Amino acid sequence: MLARVFFFLIGFGLTVIGSVYIISYLNLFSIGYNFLEYVNFIIRKFECLCAFFGFLIMFLVVMIPGGNYNELHL
């Protein structure tokens, strides 16, 4: 249980860091980049990929059942 909380917080932190960089790189539009150039730029930056990896970690932690608990699953 504690490991799941830890990995969820790690995923959340990575998502926040990546999202901040993606939003900050929106300033590229003001210097003449179009949308495809912007997307091409952010998919090549590791700090922007942290948003994807963080979201993936959070999704896996929430969706994969863990433990042998007698919980009611609906």
Side-chain angles (χ1 to χ4, degrees):
M1 175 68 177
L2 191 59
R4 291 173 66 102
V5 171
F6 174 74
F7 282 115
F8 185 83
L9 290 176
I10 293 295
F12 182 76
L14 287 174
T15 303
V16 168
I17 290 170
S19 300
V20 166
Y21 275 103
I22 289 171
I23 292 169
S24 67
Y25 284 138
L26 283 173
N27 287 327
L28 293 174
F29 286 125
S30 65
I31 60 172
Y33 277 53
N34 61 22
F35 183 72
L36 292 177
E37 291 172 338
Y38 170 73
V39 171
N40 190 22
F41 180 78
I42 65 170
I43 63 172
R44 296 181 191 279
K45 293 291 190 177
F46 177 73
E47 57 268 11
C48 295
L49 290 177
C50 287
F52 172 73
F53 293 135
F55 183 74
L56 182 66
I57 291 170
M58 287 192 309
F59 179 78
L60 291 175
V61 166
V62 170
M63 293 310 236
I64 294 177
N68 290 329
Y69 304 113
N70 292 327
E71 296 177 0
L72 178 63
H73 294 287
L74 299 177

